[in-house]
Amino acid sequence: HVQVNQKEGEAKEVTIRTPVGSLHVEEEVNPARLGLPLYPGAVRAKTTDSATVNLQLPNDETLKVWAVKFETPDSLEQVSKFYDQHLGQEVTRHETRSREGKTVFEIKHDNEERIVALERHGNQTQIQLVRVFHGPSEPN
């Protein structure tokens, strides 16, 4: 069963239900659900790269993904410094790819992963924030 909902001026929602599980996708993402700090002054990117995905599998297994993209005119170095200071000891992996101009912070604990990916595009620094949860119960 496939259900698509979109009221005028609102984000689209798609739900697919099968005998072995369900998939629910929303274009809207609540930034508070990310568990990551938002860079001051950053604005939501005008792309369709943001979504909340909820995959419900048999045996009450859940996979949830929240992904949203922001942008700021501030330099990659300024934004990277902010996340380095605000994520601090939580970071389990930090990678800077100077050739590609991309910086990635990862935080992995048990059934959850949070990612901050920074990249310069034109005169904007793009900030991709992602939270992935997998396990038997709904995250807070």
Side-chain angles (χ1 to χ4, degrees), residues 111-128:
N111 297 344
E112 184 176 52
E113 182 173 357
R114 290 175 285 154
I115 301 166
V116 175
L118 310 173
E119 193 168 14
R120 194 73 182 167
H121 281 279
N123 62 353
Q124 298 285 312
T125 297
Q126 290 189 341
I127 305 164
Q128 297 175 31

Side-chain angles (χ1 to χ4, degrees), residues 49-76:
D49 293 346
S50 299
T52 299
V53 178
N54 183 8
L55 180 60
Q56 195 69 42
L57 301 168
N59 302 323
D60 292 326
E61 285 292 315
T62 299
L63 173 66
K64 279 200 132 184
V65 178
W66 298 266
V68 65
K69 190 181 284 186
F70 291 88
E71 54 191 17
T72 178
D74 293 351
S75 73
L76 182 64

Side-chain angles (χ1 to χ4, degrees), residues 63-90:
L63 173 66
K64 279 200 132 184
V65 178
W66 298 266
V68 65
K69 190 181 284 186
F70 291 88
E71 54 191 17
T72 178
D74 293 351
S75 73
L76 182 64
E77 293 77 21
Q78 287 174 286
V79 179
S80 183
K81 185 176 179 179
F82 170 85
Y83 280 102
D84 193 37
Q85 291 173 346
H86 284 82
L87 298 175
Q89 299 294 353
E90 281 191 274

